Amino acid sequence: MVLVAIAAASPAALGTPDALLPDLQPLPSTEFRLKEFSNGTVQLRFSTWIANAGPGALELLPRLRDCDGDGDRSNDRTAIQRVYTDIDADGVYTRKIDRIRETFPVGCFRFHATHDHWHFVDFARYELRSVDDGSLVSHNGKVGFCLVDSVRKLPATPGAPPGGYYGACSADAVQGLSAGWADVYQYSLPGQSLEVTGVGPGEYCVVTTVDPAARLLEMSAADNTGRQLIRIKASGDVARLSTPC
């Protein structure tokens, strides 16, 4: 698939400081386990949590445009990020008060047949790295999400609404993450894995990067990568460790 190049503006391009931007960050991954298949391949499976710690909502609107350049407008949508203005100057996004300021094309939505819903593509990247020298052991480079408010994980975030707003994954649904909310992709879902066939026991670093292509407008991209130290045991169990990696 050949994607059409999309140039997103930087936060500075918005011109004034009253733009309410999200701040995406991976939270520590959980529920690690190994799964061996009948053909002998082995996957490291885990649950991923992506949170919005910023004062603005991440809001993505699908538009019926040929995003991937294949000439077929039915199998994809262009993703448009809405950025809101802080009308009442309180530093947080309040629906019904703060209005859309600007919109930017930031990527593509595509239908994910296995999940049976639409994803914002290339939202995350997973890597398994050696603790000894940081070398890459395995990677899953293009992970799509249907972005919804799953859990109010950061309730202290200014403006975090008590209830989730984004929750649909259909072709024409607006996807997103409210301030203080996280989207959770459970270990059992297709794509929530790294290939570890032939990887021996030991300690490894699982690295999760949100928005690896830097298409989305955020307050900061400095916190877009999270790391979790794990130990793969000879028994086939996986331990989640508290030591940084």
Side-chain angles (χ1 to χ4, degrees):
M1 178 179 67
V2 178
L3 294 180
V4 176
I6 296 175
S10 67
L14 295 176
T16 60
D18 61 355
L20 292 164
L21 294 171
D23 184 13
L24 301 174
Q25 53 183 247
L27 302 181
S29 299
T30 60
E31 299 181 289
F32 288 93
R33 61 205 64 203
L34 294 179
K35 181 175 181 179
E36 184 172 359
F37 295 85
S38 58
N39 62 1
T41 60
V42 181
Q43 289 182 351
L44 173 67
R45 306 196 64 84
F46 51 93
S47 296
T48 298
W49 304 62
I50 306 293
N52 178 10
L58 172 67
E59 187 167 286
L60 302 179
L61 170 73
R63 285 189 178 166
L64 189 58
R65 297 175 183 169
D66 183 18
C67 188
D68 60 14
D70 67 353
D72 184 355
R73 295 200 307 165
S74 67
N75 64 2
D76 58 6
R77 302 286 190 274
T78 294
I80 304 296
Q81 182 177 356
R82 286 171 169 167
V83 176
Y84 287 84
T85 301
D86 190 9
I87 296 295
D88 54 2
D90 64 351
V92 299
Y93 172 56
T94 304
R95 203 168 293 278
K96 297 183 179 180
I97 295 178
D98 298 319
R99 305 189 194 112
I100 297 173
R101 177 182 180 81
E102 296 186 57
T103 60
F104 301 90
V106 291
C108 297
F109 289 106
R110 286 188 67 88
F111 182 72
H112 192 289
T114 308
H115 287 196
D116 195 29
H117 59 219
W118 285 69
H119 280 180
F120 177 60
V121 302
D122 303 348
F123 181 65
R125 180 182 66 216
Y126 305 146
E127 299 173 331
L128 187 70
R129 292 192 172 270
S130 166
V131 171
D132 295 332
D133 60 8
S135 60
L136 184 65
V137 177
S138 180
H139 77 284
N140 189 348
K142 294 184 177 180
V143 183
F145 275 45
C146 169
L147 291 165
V148 298
D149 291 331
S150 299
V151 182
R152 192 171 179 248
K153 192 67 175 176
L154 304 175
T157 302
Y165 180 80
Y166 306 100
C169 301
S170 62
D172 300 315
V174 176
Q175 298 186 20
L177 277 175
S178 299
W181 284 74
D183 191 5
V184 185
Y185 261 55
Q186 299 289 344
Y187 70 91
S188 57
L189 291 173
Q192 284 302 120
S193 62
L194 286 160
E195 175 78 23
V196 292
T197 305
V199 175
E203 293 186 359
Y204 298 90
C205 191
V206 176
V207 182
T208 299
T209 302
V210 60
D211 188 29
R215 292 191 176 109
L216 298 171
L217 277 76
E218 301 183 55
M219 290 182 63
S220 171
D223 54 2
N224 280 26
T225 296
R227 294 172 173 82
Q228 177 63 55
L229 183 65
I230 63 168
R231 179 181 295 123
I232 297 178
K233 301 179 181 180
S235 64
D237 294 329
V238 183
R240 181 170 173 261
L241 307 180
S242 58
T243 307
C245 66

